[in-house]
Amino acid sequence: MDPTQPALGDQHEMSFIDHLEALRWHIIRAAIAVVAFATVAFFSKDFLFHDLILGPSRADFWTYRMFCRFGAWVGAPDLCIDKIGFVIQNREMSGQLTMHISTSFIVGLVLGFPYLFWELWRFIKPGLYPHERQNSQGAVFFVSVLFAMGLLFGYYIAAPMSINFLAGYVVDPTIENQIDMQSYLSTLTTMSLSCAFVFELPMIVFFLAKAGLITPEIMRVYRKHAIVVILVLAAIITPPDVSAQIIVTIPILLLYELSINIARVVGRNRTASLNAQLAENKGIA
């Protein structure tokens, strides 16, 4: 191919080595961003652990206070969570230092996610056709917003309910729940990040519909199957507590219905674009 000719995205053809070089710099910039955010988190130890990480382990956490207010409002005092029945402890000499470093890195990844996706998008974008770029405008913004919404839902809803259920579950009153800090951190991050990525469903459907791989008709036909999958997913994300599973299931179902509408709009626009192109081709002929 003549190197003076434009490639798919109106860019000059690049060799495999050129692509690797471009990807390398995208990765380096993304890594610098993650390290910068992780460094800030590392030196914000008091806020990071006392307020953020250990927040759901205390009865004064925002979610538990809201449940108490809601329970008082509806006349259901049992909804109030005023005691967390476990103690977090460290069993390894370097355990707290290791957790400090690993947690800072996780926070760096979370805070740097919008920039990470932006760098990935900058690498992919030159290889797209002009109409594909036009159709994908705002992808970084919507992916970042959905990620943040899912992360907040996981942190304030899914994780506290899971922690409270598991902390309060006992087989005998004489057995105390003394939870290893790594186990607690794993539960908190798994709940939060799982919801963050599940909330990306509308964007996944958007791109699949753009590619013609999924249609609203298909999503409607398999709605019952999707509900079963969502229930299974909610059961995996949350502990075996019916109320927690329902609370997690509802937003995922709403996201699925939203995704159907997104696929419908994308399909309608895609059909209109194809009809316009066919009409233009007939006019030229």
Side-chain angles (χ1 to χ4, degrees), residues 50-208:
H50 184 270
D51 297 329
L52 190 65
I53 301 300
L54 296 177
S57 69
R58 298 192 301 271
D60 62 350
F61 187 59
W62 180 87
T63 303
Y64 305 142
R65 288 188 283 111
M66 292 302 103
F67 270 100
C68 287
R69 292 182 182 179
F70 180 75
W73 181 59
V74 299
D78 291 340
L79 292 177
C80 183
I81 301 173
D82 54 5
K83 184 179 179 181
I84 306 297
F86 70 96
V87 176
I88 300 177
Q89 58 183 352
N90 171 46
R91 295 179 179 273
E92 298 180 7
M93 184 67 69
S94 61
Q96 296 201 41
L97 176 61
T98 302
M99 185 179 71
H100 190 186
I101 296 173
S102 61
T103 303
S104 299
F105 179 72
I106 293 172
V107 172
L109 283 173
V110 170
L111 294 179
F113 177 81
Y115 184 77
L116 294 176
F117 187 79
W118 183 63
E119 285 290 350
L120 175 63
W121 183 249
R122 287 181 61 195
F123 177 72
I124 296 174
K125 189 176 179 180
L128 301 178
Y129 289 105
H131 71 277
E132 291 175 329
R133 295 189 199 175
Q134 182 68 26
N135 293 335
S136 303
Q137 286 185 350
V140 176
F141 173 77
F142 288 109
V143 166
S144 301
V145 169
L146 290 172
F147 182 84
M149 290 174 60
L151 186 69
L152 292 174
F153 178 82
Y155 177 75
Y156 282 105
I157 303 298
M161 295 194 69
S162 299
I163 291 171
N164 177 68
F165 174 82
L166 295 174
Y169 187 86
V170 294
V171 294
D172 190 275
T174 61
I175 302 176
E176 296 183 358
N177 283 331
Q178 298 180 355
I179 310 300
D180 185 77
M181 61 180 186
Q182 292 293 345
S183 175
Y184 170 82
L185 180 62
S186 175
T187 300
L188 179 64
T189 54
T190 299
M191 297 295 103
S192 302
L193 293 179
S194 296
C195 291
F197 288 111
V198 167
F199 269 56
E200 296 293 344
L201 177 62
M203 288 304 299
I204 295 174
V205 171
F206 173 81
F207 286 113
L208 291 177

Side-chain angles (χ1 to χ4, degrees), residues 228-242:
V228 174
V229 172
I230 290 172
L231 289 172
V232 172
L233 183 62
I236 294 174
I237 294 177
T238 60
D241 178 42
V242 177

